[in-house]
Amino acid sequence: MNADVVIAGAGPNGLMLACELSLAGVRTLVLERLPERTRENRANGLVGQVVRMLDRRGLYERLTGSQDPPRPAPGFVFGALPIDLSVLDDNPLYLLSVPQLRIEQMLEERAVQLHVEIRRGHELTGFTQDAGGVTVQAGGPAGPYTIETRYLVGADGGHSIVRKLAGIAFPGVTTDATIARTAHAVVPAELVDPATGRLDVPGYGSIPPFLHHRTERGLFVYAPLPGAPAPLISTMEWNGQDAEGPLTLAELRASARRVLGVDIAFGPPDGQGPHLMRKLNGGNTRLAERFRDGRVLLVGDAAHVHSAIGGPGLNLGLQDAVNLGWKLAADVRGTAPAGLLDTYESERHPVAERVVMSSRAQSALIAPGSEVTGLRALFTELLGDPRNVRRIADLMSGADVRYDVGVDHPLAGRWAPDLDLKDGVRLAELTRDGRPHLIDFTGGDWGHPATAALPGSGVPCTALLVRPDGYVAWASDVPQPDAESRASLRTAIQRWLG
């Protein structure tokens, strides 16, 4: 074997999976057709549980430079409708404003530290598989060659070659009804409120920063992202006319005029860039029929594509990678219990279906027309109820994800709550090794090594088993370990850890 696992694609999802596999001692090779990291920034931040997941691998600190844990956001948007998250006692929605370029750079640096081999300028061209492994055909600067591997993972995006060669159907819909235009652009300083960052547009009114701003003619976004060469200006129109050729600032300015009804005299940014100038016609919503074909698996956009509204893409894809990593590693090492690898699809496919549903709902809420304006008025009323705010926040963050782990307990199958452990260690620090952990509040003997948690955390359990991906595989309420609770723990360990 040339590698235990070959990953096609060195985007964030492929690199995250490579890091997870290497943490578990699996030899991993990443093939990337681009000779160097792309200079095009496809996303501007992270939304949801992925922020806390990165904290539990020590990667949040690498991105922020801060040793403080992440904090939930005071507000966000759903379908361009503002959500006041301050009404929630336990706000689950976390945000991290960081360019995707920086995320990819950080993940590549971490992968190299973990001895992952990354071959840039090398492209997967084909593969065959049998019961024992996969033979990958690849091409590089020196010509074609083959690689023998146990498993192949497609992290090669929405046009995935791996998915196509595996014959995995990618059903969904393609629409050409929208034109989205985005560019770095400088707005006149007198239009920006220095106290709030809002854009005060003469003849129109105030536009808050970072949030989708919908009119009956389209969508407008003003995002002065920290560290960016200039604010991002973005518009979306429905059934609009597309000027031929690449996007220009004049075309973007004309689009903003149509959406808002007034002109904003923005101009080009200073410096060398890279400066974003992107136009997208239409969009795709598709979900792979299955995430696995024998020894070939899919993660991220190779498995699902959808609208970017609400920022769910990296939240979904990176957690695909973390869910798959420990399971695939256990299979490679020969320690996986029967059926463990099958749970990657059974757990992540429904999550992807839910994200597709959410993105479609939000796309409907930002569409033009007076009927949608009426629908938005109703949703605004509904979002005045904290119970509905909770449901939307859980949906957008992924906090409502619950896997079927075969244990009847309120915490079972859910994201493990943040805990303070002995010696001042946080659970997020303990889990940076990518291993499972048994957390104990009782001081009793569970028959397996456990880490003591500080009492008074408010967590409704006396012990819990945390899977490597941060989800609870087992939990108990008994005040002290007894024969029944120890047997229940043994069953969970055998089911998930072998």
Side-chain angles (χ1 to χ4, degrees):
M1 293 287 174
N2 299 109
D4 293 324
V5 177
V6 170
I7 300 172
N13 301 316
L15 291 171
M16 188 73 212
L17 176 59
C19 290
E20 291 292 292
L21 291 169
S22 189
L23 269 180
V26 172
R27 293 176 302 145
T28 306
L29 169 63
V30 180
L31 301 177
E32 172 54 56
R33 64 180 183 82
L34 296 176
E36 59 183 20
R37 284 196 306 271
T38 178
R39 290 170 59 86
E40 180 183 357
N41 197 46
R42 298 188 180 93
N44 297 294
L46 299 169
V47 179
Q49 293 287 92
V50 64
V51 178
R52 290 200 280 181
M53 184 272 288
L54 291 178
D55 184 38
R56 291 190 177 178
R57 289 295 187 266
L59 303 177
Y60 177 82
E61 182 178 336
R62 288 171 177 252
L63 287 173
T64 64
S66 171
Q67 295 183 355
D68 295 332
R71 302 295 181 191
F76 199 51
V77 288
F78 180 81
L81 292 169
I83 308 172
D84 180 9
L85 298 171
S86 67
V87 301
L88 302 179
D89 293 333
D90 182 20
N91 177 5
L93 209 153
Y94 290 71
L95 307 176
L96 178 58
S97 178
V98 57
Q100 182 170 325
L101 293 176
R102 172 61 188 133
I103 296 171
E104 290 190 15
Q105 178 189 23
M106 180 275 294
L107 288 174
E108 183 170 327
E109 291 170 352
R110 178 58 173 157
V112 171
Q113 288 178 347
L114 292 170
H115 309 293
V116 172
E117 182 182 357
I118 302 172
R119 296 181 186 174
R120 291 196 171 273
H122 291 247
E123 184 174 13
L124 178 142
T125 58
F127 65 84
T128 58
Q129 63 168 315
D130 56 30
V134 184
T135 300
V136 174
Q137 289 88 46
Y145 61 98
T146 61
I147 310 164
E148 299 295 329
T149 184
R150 296 281 296 280
Y151 285 95
L152 169 65
V153 181
D156 48 346
H159 299 287
S160 171
I161 297 298
V162 173
R163 185 190 65 242
K164 293 174 182 177
L165 293 176
I168 298 175
F170 204 36
V173 296
T174 298
T175 176
D176 58 0
T178 61
I179 302 176
R181 301 174 174 91
T182 305
H184 284 118
V186 176
V187 300
E190 62 270 18
L191 300 186
V192 181
D193 184 330
T196 65
R198 300 174 75 93
L199 200 62
D200 293 322
V201 182
Y204 180 80
S206 183
I207 298 175
F210 303 110
L211 307 181
H212 292 92
H213 186 78
R214 184 253 181 198
T215 75
E216 291 194 1
R217 298 172 297 276
L219 204 68
F220 179 87
V221 179
Y222 166 68
L225 295 163
L232 276 180
I233 303 293
S234 183
T235 67
M236 179 177 286
E237 296 181 83
W238 280 255
N239 301 312
Q241 293 185 349
D242 181 19
E244 293 185 1
L247 178 65
T248 64
L249 282 183
E251 181 185 343
L252 178 61
R253 183 171 173 177
S255 176
R257 187 186 306 117
R258 290 190 295 269
V259 171
L260 299 175
V262 298
D263 189 43
I264 301 177
F266 47 77
D270 298 327
Q272 296 297 315
H275 299 145
L276 182 64
M277 187 75 71
R278 182 174 63 201
K279 178 165 52 178
L280 297 175
N281 291 286
N284 284 289
T285 301
R286 297 187 176 275
L287 179 59
E289 192 172 65
R290 59 191 188 278
F291 288 5
R292 181 186 179 189
D293 179 66
R295 291 183 171 272
V296 179
L297 300 109
L298 306 175
V299 297
D301 289 354
H304 38 69
V305 294
H306 43 76
S307 168
I309 188 167
L314 286 175
N315 190 30
L316 181 60
L318 289 174
Q319 292 202 85
D320 284 350
V322 175
N323 184 285
L324 175 60
W326 64 280
K327 298 172 181 178
L328 187 55
D331 194 279
V332 168
R333 294 195 310 263
T335 61
L340 178 66
L341 194 53
D342 292 331
T343 67
Y344 167 60
E345 180 176 324
S346 65
E347 290 185 344
R348 295 306 295 172
H349 200 282
V351 177
E353 289 178 332
R354 192 156 175 79
V355 169
V356 166
M357 176 273 290
S358 172
S359 64
R360 283 175 167 165
Q362 293 184 75
S363 295
L365 282 169
I366 65 173
S370 58
E371 295 88 352
V372 175
T373 300
L375 179 64
R376 291 172 62 81
L378 173 60
F379 261 76
T380 299
E381 290 184 14
L382 295 174
L383 290 173
D385 187 331
R387 292 171 299 180
N388 293 330
V389 173
R390 161 60 65 180
R391 289 186 67 112
I392 294 294
D394 284 348
L395 171 65
M396 297 193 74
S397 67
D400 60 352
V401 171
R402 184 174 189 180
Y403 301 135
D404 180 7
V405 297
V407 175
D408 184 17
H409 189 279
L411 286 179
R414 296 192 180 279
W415 178 256
D418 292 326
L419 298 169
D420 290 323
L421 310 176
K422 63 180 182 180
D423 302 324
V425 175
R426 295 188 297 124
L427 179 62
E429 297 170 291
L430 183 70
T431 56
R432 291 177 182 180
D433 58 8
R435 298 176 181 275
H437 291 277
L438 177 63
I439 311 298
D440 170 48
F441 293 85
T442 69
D445 179 12
W446 291 98
H448 297 274
T451 299
L454 298 180
S457 65
V459 177
C461 68
T462 52
L464 69 164
L465 177 65
V466 182
R467 303 190 325 187
D469 60 354
Y471 284 80
V472 176
W474 170 90
S476 175
D477 291 326
V478 298
Q480 283 293 321
D482 55 22
E484 183 178 353
S485 61
R486 290 191 189 97
S488 173
L489 173 59
R490 283 197 301 272
T491 298
I493 290 175
Q494 290 166 0
R495 174 174 182 173
W496 294 106
L497 307 174

